[in-house]
Amino acid sequence: MSELALDALHHETRRFPPPEDLAREANATAETYAAAETDRLGFWEEQARALSWEAPWSQVLDWQRPFSKWFVGGRLNACVNAVDRHVENGAGEKVAFHWIGDGERERRDVTYADLQREVCKAANALTSLNVKAGDRVTIYMPMIPETVVTMLACARIGAPHNVVFCGFSSDSLRGRILDSDSRVVVTTDGQFRRGAPTPVKPAVDEALEACPDVRSVLVVRRTGDEVAWNDARDVWWHDVVDSASDQHEAAAFDAEHPLFMMYTSGTTAKPKGILHTTGGYLTHVSATHRLVFDLKPDRDIYWCAADIGWITGHSYIVYGPLINQATSLMYEGTPHPNDKARWWKLIQDHKVTILYTAPTTIRTLMKWGAEELEPYDLSSLRLLGSVGEPINPEAWMWYRDTVGGGRTPVVDTWWQTETGGIMITPLPGVTATKPGAAMTPFPGVSADVVDNDGKSVPDGGGGFLVLTEPWPGMLRGIWGDDERYKQTYWSRFEGVYFAGDGAKRDEDGDLWLLGRVDDVMNVSGHRISTTEVEHALVSHPSVAEAAVVGATDATTGQAIVAFVTPRGSVAEDESSGDEFVQSLRDHVAKQIGPIAKPRQVLVTPELPKTRSGKIMRRLLRDIAEHRELGDVTTLLDPTVTDAIRERMAGGSEKEE
Ligand code: WT7
């Protein structure tokens, strides 16, 4: 653990006990912790019983470290649990999603009965495209109800979905289609971004130039813009889904049947397909959604402001809330400076009671100022959640006091794509919270903070966060690569799962997350690998070598800073210009997606290396964060850093 991160830790003494009215009726009480403490597996079984099972399990957990099976022998259908059973129980007319378009005028209310009809049609359409149980379907779609419908239709027929965030490039999409070996892709003609239509399908067309096995592309008409059409492959949603029967009998699948995969960045250039299965995942996300957000289906309007293209959207827009019969707000847009009050208007107009978002968004809204929200009535809010990166105490306090009017508990929830659901979090009716701390493992979750040798640190100590027992929502592996699964998560410390995060346990034993300790950056709550960006940079014909680091950024948490040495063939005046830097930034956006565009690119004749030839990333990070440099005696050529620093101070950096 870097000393710097430890030093930066706030010595926080403020405590916020749960509001009495919330505590009185809370879904989770001190008893919940006690029950899980006494019988961990029994606790998870109890949570699993909230689902509808076609056949019961015969064994809660089969643990062949590091591979787990949960609810062995149990059979269920994910979509039936999320949709059909609510309709059968008379809640068909209940709104599942108040969907709000990016523009001002578009909105759609989708009830559970609507969902059931649409999902049945889509399931029939996918079946007519010859999608069978076990076949992977890649979904590349914006934040529209059809995206949820497609996911649920896949789940209904047992075809694992592979949702790729719509902001990823065609190259990234292609890699994910190929690795998952998807034969069918679902997409849209375009999407609306900040009021303007932007194309989506062209990225799919480009990706498919090198995916010969994809036989069908199902296209939702969203913007109505002209698109290129391949008659042999492309089919319109309105042709095959709208005309399909709205009757579909759902079969039950094994609890360990793959539900979905989701690619995420690791420390190497190749994203990993994180695999999640059915029974354990659904148990985990529905239990955490009910207990962490204290969800009351008849009273709450719940808004998780994530994108469905990330795990937060899967677990806490789609599966958790639907299983709990929630009414959610689903918003297509993201906060933007031309409409700073949109969020507050949405909360007021829809009487949102629970809001779940990322620190980077909170900081952006905070920057725009309290005066933006003052004209609005936000008194409906009763609970606020944070996820994606460590939340700084200032943002936490602003969230609680200014957004929540000082009434609302803030739950800072730590988890990962790999964990499937929330792992470390306060429980709103039980935990006295501290600004910036994720506090305690969720009931039934076992976590520890260990030192370099894997020894548990005492209270007050810092180290690495590990998970010491299996949990139902845990990844079942990396798609097609068991070895990498073992290597990545289970090799750093004997017998325990290493998350890649640094953490501190304070004097009271409460947990504070300190950010990644590996070569993974966290930009606006999105995981981006330094290696992946480096690979993108060196694929540019003018680049010889590249090193990428994450530098602290006041809004996005971390920002990408790249150090690049041009090839010898590139003339000095060419490589020193703004245009060159811009072309490199664009190149990365094209290769990976706009989210991976470096904030700064620094062109330098050489990179600082140790005598053994390793790039000194820590030093580059110090430079990027304008810190005094520490020990550079192992450096091959100490003058290199001076040269880089000079350039950094000069005009060759580019910020947006
Ligand atoms: C990484 C996982 C979990 C869904 C969104 C991100 C960081 C996540 C917190 C938090 C501190 C957090 C960690 C983790 N992270 N939540 N509350 N406090 N750090 O999912 O893309 O899989 O990223 O996000 O570094 O390892 P992801």
Side-chain angles (χ1 to χ4, degrees):
M1 172 80 284
S2 95
E3 278 161 40
L4 240 136
L6 279 178
D7 287 351
L9 237 196
H10 214 84
H11 290 283
E12 185 59 68
T13 52
R14 288 171 289 193
R15 299 281 181 286
F16 297 92
E20 268 169 38
D21 50 342
L22 191 150
R24 225 176 2 252
E25 297 182 35
N27 293 349
T29 64
E31 277 305 299
T32 318
Y33 282 115
E37 191 69 33
T38 319
D39 180 4
R40 199 175 67 84
L41 295 180
F43 168 80
W44 284 120
E45 283 191 286
E46 191 58 35
Q47 305 311 312
R49 280 186 207 111
L51 300 172
S52 299
W53 296 78
E54 193 79 20
W57 56 93
S58 53
Q59 190 186 350
V60 200
L61 170 66
D62 173 8
W63 182 218
Q64 312 284 335
R65 197 186 312 262
F67 295 97
S68 76
K69 290 188 179 130
W70 283 82
F71 309 112
V72 180
R75 295 181 72 79
L76 74 172
N77 184 288
C79 181
V80 166
N81 273 279
V83 179
D84 299 54
R85 63 175 183 149
H86 304 316
V87 179
E88 274 155 34
N89 294 339
E93 293 318 307
K94 188 170 194 274
V95 171
F97 294 105
H98 293 293
W99 177 81
I100 312 291
D102 177 54
E104 282 297 334
R105 280 180 304 275
E106 247 187 320
R107 58 171 292 177
R108 252 167 85 187
D109 283 349
V110 183
T111 65
Y112 279 91
D114 294 335
L115 262 186
Q116 188 183 39
R117 269 191 304 275
E118 290 303 311
V119 167
C120 286
K121 287 178 172 200
N124 285 322
L126 287 172
T127 303
S128 74
L129 294 173
N130 206 19
V131 177
K132 298 202 165 57
D135 294 349
R136 280 77 58 205
V137 173
T138 293
I139 301 176
Y140 187 69
M141 293 171 82
M143 284 285 288
I144 55 174
E146 285 82 357
T147 309
V148 180
V149 168
T150 307
M151 290 167 71
L152 293 171
C154 286
R156 191 174 186 92
I157 61 174
H161 52 73
N162 169 33
V163 179
V164 178
F165 174 59
C166 221
F168 274 119
S169 68
S170 59
D171 277 358
S172 299
L173 174 61
R174 177 187 300 142
R176 287 156 169 80
I177 292 172
L178 287 174
D179 191 78
S180 64
D181 192 14
S182 296
R183 308 298 168 95
V184 171
V185 178
V186 188
T187 188
T188 59
D189 52 355
Q191 65 171 325
F192 288 98
R193 272 280 155 255
R194 308 193 165 181
T198 51
V200 170
K201 187 168 182 285
V204 175
D205 293 337
E206 211 175 301
L208 294 190
E209 282 167 19
C211 301
D213 293 334
V214 172
R215 56 168 195 269
S216 304
V217 179
L218 183 55
V219 190
V220 174
R221 184 177 276 158
R222 170 75 186 110
T223 57
D225 288 340
E226 199 65 37
V227 286
W229 203 254
N230 177 341
D231 278 326
R233 188 194 70 192
D234 301 343
V235 279
W236 284 113
W237 177 282
H238 52 259
D239 284 340
V240 294
V241 177
D242 289 359
S243 58
S245 158
D246 62 7
Q247 302 295 311
H248 180 273
E249 186 136 2
F253 294 97
D254 191 276
E256 283 299 331
H257 187 80
L259 179 62
F260 69 90
M261 50 215 287
M262 158 133 279
Y263 283 82
T264 186
S265 293
T267 53
T268 67
K270 192 169 176 268
K272 307 174 286 222
I274 304 300
L275 178 67
H276 285 290
T277 58
T278 309
Y281 171 80
L282 295 181
T283 296
H284 190 150
V285 297
S286 56
T288 47
H289 183 256
R290 188 171 59 247
L291 299 173
V292 175
F293 299 113
D294 191 41
L295 187 94
K296 307 282 197 286
D298 297 331
R299 277 184 266 161
D300 282 313
I301 303 291
Y302 164 85
W303 181 18
C304 168
D307 192 289
I308 289 178
W310 307 104
I311 190 73
T312 308
H314 281 50
S315 301
Y316 298 110
I317 294 178
V318 181
Y319 290 108
L322 290 179
I323 285 176
N324 291 333
Q325 210 187 97
T327 295
S328 295
L329 191 76
M330 178 176 168
Y331 175 48
E332 185 183 25
T334 49
H336 74 97
N338 294 341
D339 194 2
K340 294 187 180 133
R342 183 80 195 268
W343 267 48
W344 314 126
K345 258 186 269 176
L346 286 173
I347 293 170
Q348 169 182 281
D349 294 352
H350 296 273
K351 298 199 166 39
V352 171
T353 57
I354 304 167
L355 175 65
Y356 191 31
T357 188
T360 185
T361 305
I362 299 165
R363 288 192 295 264
T364 300
L365 296 167
M366 184 168 138
K367 200 164 64 188
W368 292 343
E371 59 275 17
E372 293 295 339
L373 59 84
E374 265 150 24
Y376 299 94
D377 176 9
L378 307 182
S379 62
S380 54
L381 288 172
R382 68 179 193 94
L383 181 61
L384 302 172
S386 173
V387 61
E389 55 181 311
I391 178 164
N392 48 312
E394 296 69 29
W396 194 101
M397 287 304 300
W398 190 82
Y399 201 27
R400 186 187 153 93
D401 284 345
T402 306
V403 180
R407 308 173 313 277
T408 55
V410 171
V411 289
D412 173 16
T413 62
W414 178 92
W415 58 294
Q416 309 179 295
T417 304
E418 292 86 340
T419 68
I422 294 169
M423 298 295 280
I424 300 176
T425 178
L427 290 182
V430 188
T431 317
T433 52
K434 303 174 181 178
M439 303 299 293
T440 30
F442 183 78
V445 168
S446 312
D448 199 358
V449 180
V450 299
D451 65 16
N452 220 5
D453 303 321
K455 281 224 315 279
S456 188
V457 305
D459 288 352
F464 305 97
L465 182 74
V466 294
L467 302 169
T468 55
E469 296 286 351
W471 63 99
M474 73 187 279
L475 74 165
R476 298 305 195 261
I478 294 175
W479 183 256
D481 201 342
D482 284 351
E483 214 26 64
R484 191 172 175 201
Y485 167 65
K486 291 183 200 157
Q487 202 52 40
T488 309
Y489 305 104
W490 298 92
S491 68
R492 177 68 179 81
F493 302 106
E494 176 76 35
V496 298
Y497 173 93
F498 174 45
D501 282 87
K504 179 181 161 106
R505 191 171 16 226
D506 69 16
E507 303 296 344
D508 306 321
D510 295 322
L511 299 171
W512 299 69
L513 275 302
L514 303 175
R516 304 286 308 191
V517 293
D518 52 13
D519 291 332
V520 173
M521 298 173 287
N522 189 326
V523 182
S524 300
H526 298 149
R527 229 156 113 172
I528 299 165
S529 129
T530 54
T531 329
E532 219 177 323
V533 179
E534 286 167 5
H535 272 243
L537 283 165
V538 296
S539 75
H540 188 282
S542 305
V543 173
E545 203 172 20
V548 166
V549 297
T552 304
D553 183 281
T555 305
T556 59
Q558 280 191 313
I560 305 175
V561 178
F563 298 84
V564 161
T565 60
R567 293 209 176 172
S569 55
V570 181
E572 168 84 26
D573 60 336
E574 185 193 329
S575 69
S576 60
D578 277 358
E579 228 168 87
F580 183 64
V581 165
Q582 194 52 44
S583 74
L584 295 182
R585 298 177 68 236
D586 291 344
H587 181 73
V588 175
K590 169 95 186 51
Q591 293 279 306
I592 304 174
I595 52 163
K597 201 172 189 170
R599 182 187 72 184
Q600 280 174 241
V601 175
L602 200 82
V603 182
T604 167
E606 264 177 275
L607 292 174
K609 291 188 184 153
T610 62
R611 286 170 210 286
S612 61
K614 272 181 116 172
I615 295 173
M616 299 184 75
R617 277 163 209 289
R618 182 152 170 198
L619 199 84
L620 291 175
R621 209 169 303 128
D622 286 345
I623 295 173
E625 293 178 344
H626 308 280
R627 267 196 299 276
E628 281 311 305
L629 302 184
D631 183 19
V632 290
T633 49
T634 50
L635 194 62
L636 182 63
D637 177 3
T639 60
V640 168
T641 55
D642 292 340
I644 295 179
R645 291 250 275 188
E646 257 163 49
R647 287 191 172 233
M648 188 94 182
S652 59
E653 70 182 278
K654 182 88 191 160
E655 293 199 27
E656 251 173 23

